[in-house]
Amino acid sequence: MGIPGSWRLRNQRLSLVGEVCHTCGNKIFPPRDVCPHCAREAQHAFQFSGRGEVYSFTTVFNPPAGFEEYAPYTVALVKLEEGPIVTAQLTDVEPERVAIGQPVEMVTRKLRDDGHAEVISYGYKFRPRITTD
Amino acid sequence: MKPITPVGIVGYGAYVPRYRLPASEVARVWKGEGGDPPVREKAVAGLDEDTLTIALEATRNALRRAGVNPQEIGAVWVGSESHPYAVKPTGTIVAEAIGATPYTLAADLQFACKAGTEAIQAGIGLVASGMVRYALAVGADTAQGRPGDALEYTAAAGGAAYLIGPAKESLAVFEESLSYVTDTPDFWRRPYMHYPTHAQRFTGEPGYFHHVLSAAQALLEHTSRKAEDFRYLVLHQPNTKFPERAARRLGFRPEQWKTGLLSPEIGNTYAGAALLGLTAILDEAGPDELILVVSFGSGAGSDAFILRTTEQITARQKLAVTTREYIARRVVIDYALYARYRRKLLTE
Ligand SMILES: [Zn+2]
């Protein structure tokens, strides 16, 4: 399925669109000019399934400015089913219920909402998997 | 209304947030009048959720079931009374996130609790005319009641999405539809007001019952159908009593409405309410079954639809999380956490 290039770049944050290398076939996230596996140019947009598992995690009690209301929250390295590891906030889970190897899935949530006048920032997070497949 | 070309639902999807506020918590804090609460508990959105995130997850579930190329979606319409922005469409963010941009219509609709079914009516027209192959219609809300107001028991969060397309690709086909509106001041919210106002004397009989019953009866009469022809019924559900009473007055029996009546467990999800009830029905319906759907939006009006399921429904039910699975994912919160999650506390 052809996805216009302009869409792919704006959407890596909304819906986990990365690339697949047309030379070695590795899946790449975030999208970049050169394939980290074979150093060729990576070109084809690829929609990741959003499924993965917790590779490592830490709980943030003293968040940076703008994220105070969400604390405490857990930030994890998530190993995607297709290979790449991404850093993301976990949601819909109590910090004490997070474990290495836990199956998670991507959802789009508010990353930051600065109040009444600013643009709302949306992006991917991961939550414990509820999809049955 | 019946389109010249047959049109149906190619994919549907639900979303219900995981937090639940029991009615007993509202009664504990605000000293309810006693008697049965309007619902047992309601679904509450988390801190990082809003109408956009709810609409988007429901939409992704609809697309999982539909399996179409998002570039062929020619309209993305989101009906809600709690859009994240007063100016800036929710529809463009949904369209962008699913890969339907840039050649698509996108807009937000507003008609209290019937904004989502209004989007379906418009989608049927656009698909039937051949102007677009698929149209996406979403109803989603994160409704808020004034603290202490009766609405606080029921005002809930949730949503559902429908991909409208050609009948031959559909899991349910629209046989006939009808819309019924009047100027009725039962419930409103002016710009810059955080909470809505309701006129008690207009909410029951002249509001909900008049419009729901008039739309349903006119559609049944027009199609020469009777209550017993239907396997399922789903009505707008602001509480438990109203839809049960309206269903009885239309001659339906509990086994026809119980699958789609979710308000006792999740509250009133406003623009999501009738549409979420319909997802629960589509999750369990078999082929060739008739469904009657009637929404209601204050202000006021109802959209009524007769749907017939097709053989394609069975294979698509399990392609996404079911409505029951979302409802079962339940975390009970107390009024204090609720006040924090819904930003009812002043922090600066
Ligand atoms: Zn490569």
Side-chain angles (χ1 to χ4, degrees):
Chain A
M1 179 187 312
I3 299 167
S6 60
W7 176 69
R8 139 188 112 190
L9 292 177
R10 256 178 293 150
N11 274 281
Q12 51 171 287
R13 214 164 74 170
L14 275 178
S15 44
L16 223 56
V17 174
E19 288 168 323
V20 56
C21 175
H22 59 76
T23 307
C24 72
N26 275 296
K27 312 295 195 310
I28 303 155
F29 191 88
R32 61 200 86 177
D33 292 336
V34 172
C35 174
H37 303 281
C38 69
R40 303 291 178 85
E41 272 182 40
Q43 289 174 345
H44 301 321
F46 177 78
Q47 171 69 63
F48 283 85
S49 69
R51 286 186 297 270
E53 57 180 53
V54 174
Y55 183 78
S56 177
F57 66 94
T58 182
T59 297
V60 177
F61 291 94
N62 295 298
F67 297 87
E68 295 93 339
E69 72 168 329
Y70 303 109
Y73 57 84
T74 303
V75 173
L77 293 176
V78 172
K79 186 166 171 49
L80 299 174
E81 205 170 66
E82 296 91 347
I85 290 178
V86 302
T87 307
Q89 196 177 318
L90 300 185
T91 187
D92 286 1
V93 65
E94 293 67 33
E96 64 274 16
R97 311 273 307 245
V98 180
I100 287 170
Q102 187 172 21
V104 292
E105 61 192 349
M106 188 271 291
V107 290
T108 304
R109 293 290 174 89
K110 283 197 284 189
L111 298 178
R112 193 172 175 166
D113 183 351
D114 287 330
H116 298 298
E118 298 303 318
V119 141
I120 304 166
S121 164
Y122 296 101
Y124 58 80
K125 294 185 183 181
F126 288 80
R127 72 160 174 228
R129 207 181 294 174
I130 51 174
T131 51
T132 35
D133 53 322
Chain B
M1 296 185 281
K2 194 178 176 68
I4 304 165
T5 346
V7 170
I9 296 167
V10 177
Y12 68 93
Y15 180 71
V16 180
R18 72 173 193 149
Y19 302 104
R20 299 287 178 278
L21 180 71
S24 57
E25 271 298 292
V26 183
R28 177 176 71 85
V29 173
W30 292 105
K31 306 290 174 212
E33 295 154 14
D36 282 348
V39 296
R40 286 200 298 278
E41 56 188 26
K42 67 170 183 175
V44 178
L47 275 170
D48 61 359
E49 297 186 285
D50 63 11
T51 292
L52 177 269
T53 66
I54 290 170
L56 185 50
E57 182 153 347
T59 296
R60 284 181 173 140
N61 286 329
L63 295 181
R64 277 185 195 113
R65 290 195 172 98
V68 307
N69 179 348
Q71 286 283 297
E72 289 190 277
I73 300 172
V76 176
W77 288 323
V78 183
S80 180
E81 60 157 75
S82 51
H83 288 287
Y85 293 95
V87 178
K88 184 182 186 314
T90 310
T92 55
I93 311 174
V94 172
E96 187 92 42
I98 62 171
T101 48
Y103 300 105
T104 182
L105 290 157
D108 293 355
L109 281 81
Q110 185 265 109
F111 192 149
C113 300
K114 94 167 184 80
T117 52
E118 186 86 27
I120 290 182
Q121 289 285 39
I124 292 172
L126 214 59
V127 171
S129 73
M131 285 178 71
V132 306
R133 182 160 188 89
Y134 304 109
L136 179 75
V138 187
D141 260 306
T142 54
Q144 297 244 40
R146 186 184 303 281
D149 188 288
L151 286 177
E152 210 178 19
Y153 286 93
T154 54
Y162 291 85
L163 192 71
I164 315 296
K168 63 179 191 307
E169 298 172 36
S170 294
L171 53 87
V173 172
F174 292 101
E175 290 216 330
E176 191 85 41
S177 68
L178 181 143
S179 293
Y180 182 98
V181 304
T182 69
D183 175 18
T184 305
D186 54 338
F187 179 96
W188 63 89
R189 180 167 64 85
R190 298 288 302 268
Y192 303 106
M193 293 301 288
H194 193 53
Y195 298 115
T197 308
H198 46 112
Q200 210 60 271
R201 68 199 181 91
F202 284 115
T203 39
E205 212 50 55
Y208 182 85
F209 290 101
H210 174 72
H211 294 84
V212 167
L213 297 176
S214 300
Q217 278 155 354
L219 186 58
L220 292 176
E221 219 163 276
H222 177 70
T223 54
S224 310
R225 293 215 185 271
K226 294 183 290 293
E228 57 264 36
D229 298 340
F230 293 87
R231 172 67 188 85
Y232 297 103
L233 169 72
V234 60
L235 304 177
H236 176 56
Q237 34 204 280
N239 50 37
T240 310
K241 263 189 221 148
F242 278 24
E244 285 185 341
R245 202 178 299 160
R248 269 196 203 96
R249 281 163 71 170
L250 288 168
F252 284 78
R253 299 178 318 275
E255 56 269 32
Q256 291 167 292
W257 76 64
K258 67 175 198 310
T259 307
L261 186 59
L262 308 178
S263 56
E265 295 167 274
I266 62 170
N268 178 6
T269 55
Y270 285 55
L275 292 181
L276 260 172
L278 179 58
T279 64
I281 290 170
L282 294 174
D283 277 343
E284 71 155 57
D288 202 30
E289 293 185 319
L290 271 188
I291 306 167
L292 176 62
V293 185
V294 189
S295 67
F296 170 71
S298 294
S302 284
D303 298 312
F305 304 87
I306 295 176
L307 280 158
R308 184 185 290 279
T309 56
T310 72
E311 281 173 4
Q312 300 183 54
I313 192 166
T314 317
R316 291 190 219 171
Q317 285 165 333
K318 293 294 163 203
L319 296 179
V321 182
T322 65
T323 306
R324 278 280 143 208
E325 287 172 314
Y326 277 119
I327 294 173
R329 190 187 68 129
R330 168 179 173 275
V331 174
V332 173
I333 56 174
D334 63 8
Y335 197 88
L337 258 189
Y338 167 72
R340 181 180 163 208
Y341 285 175
R342 299 317 297 151
R343 297 186 173 78
K344 290 174 193 291
L345 302 170
L346 264 179
T347 53
E348 56 196 56

